[in-house]
Amino acid sequence: LNNEWLRDRSKRMRELGKEVSVRYRASSLASNGTFYTDSNGREMVTRRRNMRGPSYPSLQVNEPVAGNYYPVNAMISVEDEMQKDIDAGAAQLCVMPDVTQGGTS
């Protein structure tokens, strides 16, 4: 799957301040809110929706979408957590952008 989009550089669009978002639906994947992002292209970091690590202060979710975005340099992935331990061939969806973007699950 190759997804391309063009940005409208007109003055009107710049004044509106819109952001572009792409949503991929994989209804057969049961991720339980867990997804993975790369750490500056080096290793994959486990992320959980609406959660932070123990070294951070407790999380109050005021912005459920924006509060769960992470930088994606090389790859973001989600996999079927239900089949992960049972089957080594569990389904997985990976998105590999050509420029750094934000991503969430």
Side-chain angles (χ1 to χ4, degrees):
L1 172 67
N2 185 15
N3 184 20
E4 290 186 34
W5 57 273
L6 298 174
R7 185 173 62 174
D8 183 357
R9 295 179 181 255
S10 68
K11 181 179 178 184
R12 182 172 172 357
M13 286 304 291
R14 285 194 311 266
E15 290 172 353
L16 291 175
K18 299 291 182 183
E19 294 184 11
V20 176
S21 179
V22 177
R23 175 180 275 181
Y24 299 97
R25 290 193 181 261
S27 57
S28 62
L29 294 178
S31 68
N32 296 328
T34 302
F35 59 103
Y36 307 89
T37 62
D38 66 288
S39 175
N40 206 17
R42 291 195 163 87
E43 62 183 318
M44 297 301 284
V45 177
T46 303
R47 309 287 191 181
R48 301 257 327 157
R49 193 176 322 127
N50 295 329
M51 292 184 70
R52 299 293 182 265
S55 62
Y56 292 95
S58 61
L59 176 68
Q60 291 183 341
V61 180
N62 298 324
E63 302 227 7
V65 175
N68 287 298
Y69 264 80
Y70 295 91
V72 177
N73 298 307
M75 182 171 70
I76 184 170
S77 69
V78 61
E79 60 188 8
D80 193 333
E81 293 291 321
M82 302 296 279
Q83 294 293 322
K84 184 177 171 181
D85 296 329
I86 300 170
D87 183 10
Q92 184 178 33
L93 171 69
C94 298
V95 177
M96 296 179 283
D98 59 348
V99 296
T100 299
Q101 299 180 13
T104 189
S105 169

